[in-house]
Amino acid sequence: MKRSRCGAWCLMLASGSALATSSGHTGELLFGLFWVVLAAALMGTVASRFGIPAVVGQVVAGLLIGPSVLKLVRPEEFFLTLAEIGAIFLLFMVGLETRLGELLRVGREALLVAVLGIALPLVLGFGFGFWQGQANVSALFVGTALVATSVGITAKVLQELGVLNDPFAQVILGAAVIDDILGLTLLAVVSGLGAGQDTTAAQVGLTLGLSVGFVALVLTVGIPLVRRGQARLQELSLSRAFNVALVVGLGLAALSTVAGLAPIIRAFLAGMVLAEVKDEVAFESTVHAIEAFLAPVFFVVVGLQVNLGALTQLPVVIAGLVLTVLAVAGKLLGGLLGARSLGRREATLVGLGMVPRGEVGLIVASLGLGAGLIGEPVYAEVLLMVLLTTVLAPLALRALLRRERLVQQAP
């Protein structure tokens, strides 16, 4: 009898302890979310007041409240997941503002920008690593880190300025899709080489084929299906139409394990499919409301993941600055050459739009460090490059666009 009572009491105490621990962790996460949302709102507003893209202020907010400065929030799995969902909704919203016909009109330029924007940074990054005396695989991984592009950051700046439908913006978005396909294929190959695996041409071709095939399938099958169901969609209430949009967007994003594409690119494709009926079916405003909440979380978490403590050594800073120059030059030159048919101004904007590395660069760098492909010093150099391209490129893009607007408005 005593044993049973003791067992019951022990069970109750253990359950209460687990509940308290769970409750404490939940409270910590809620406080963390509070700081993330507050910092995003404050720094985004401050940045906008000074004519700086809100996304830059939000990335800086992440740096301030993160482990490197105030230590208010840690980049836990919860925030990383929430940030990824924010990026998905951001690109879904961008897709809703992009029609396939507009993208196809700049298909040639988008392909050239993507290919050159991968080849040039890859060569420059490999050369930099080779000059530093790194092993071939390590140098190749540095080149792969330079290939990465965070289209989410550029897309938000273009969305803020209301230029998503301009030809140069369509080239950036089209190039981002191709860049994702080729870049992730390259990452898979380099990671395989680093792990000592035999990466065959057939495996590379399969990865590439799955990615290209999925994009083609979504656009060639999805758009006709949505057009056929347009009449039924128009009969739905706002909430039900939104549910349909949500299922399509998240459903395609969730298929990332099948074809190797990043979820944000799939969300962009889903948005493009639904863009064909957005004028007849009113769900864009509700999607925008969710995106307006979650997208800033994504940019703050980008800042949270940056470890400023790794950038305390002068040789690392100098090497990181050199790597940043190469990273900017590779993408900018790729845009200037690939989109030169649009004119020098638009081609420059395209190049700048492909410069930010953001969360994609952080992920690539973390993979390289975790797999032992690069050491701590090289990781810190790549980290500085990611931080500078993420913050400076949107500033340059906005400044150039605003200057062009002033010139056009001048009498």
Side-chain angles (χ1 to χ4, degrees), residues 21 30 44 100 115 140 150 185 261-262 278 353 376 402:
T21 303
L30 287 175
L100 178 60
V115 172
L140 190 58
S150 175
T185 302
L261 277 176
K278 70 173 183 176
E376 286 283 354
R402 291 187 67 182

Side-chain angles (χ1 to χ4, degrees), residues 180-345:
D180 184 71
I181 294 172
L182 298 178
L184 289 178
T185 302
L186 177 63
L187 180 60
V189 172
V190 175
S191 299
L193 292 174
Q197 300 173 358
D198 293 328
T199 305
T200 65
Q203 290 173 322
V204 175
L206 178 61
T207 303
L208 188 60
L210 281 173
S211 301
V212 173
F214 183 85
V215 173
L217 182 66
V218 168
L219 297 179
T220 58
V221 176
I223 289 177
L225 283 177
V226 167
R227 285 175 177 166
R228 287 182 183 178
Q230 179 177 325
R232 291 185 180 180
L233 288 173
Q234 286 179 266
E235 296 172 359
L236 297 177
S237 63
L238 178 61
S239 61
R240 289 186 177 180
F242 168 69
N243 287 338
V244 171
L246 202 60
V247 168
V248 172
L250 293 179
L252 285 178
L255 291 173
S256 58
T257 56
V258 177
L261 277 176
I264 58 174
I265 296 300
R266 291 174 179 234
F268 171 71
L269 294 174
M272 281 183 61
V273 169
L274 292 174
E276 300 297 322
V277 296
K278 70 173 183 176
D279 295 334
E280 291 77 21
V281 184
F283 50 69
E284 191 173 2
S285 59
T286 50
V287 175
H288 178 67
I290 297 178
E291 178 260 341
F293 166 66
L294 288 175
V297 174
F298 159 66
F299 295 114
V300 172
V301 172
V302 170
L304 281 178
Q305 295 178 80
V306 177
N307 179 15
L308 293 179
L311 308 174
T312 56
Q313 299 179 358
L314 184 60
V316 168
V317 173
I318 294 174
L321 291 175
V322 173
L323 197 60
T324 301
V325 172
L326 296 177
V328 173
K331 291 293 185 180
L332 190 57
L333 188 58
L336 285 170
L337 294 176
R340 64 182 183 277
S341 62
L342 300 179
R344 185 173 180 179
R345 169 192 171 267

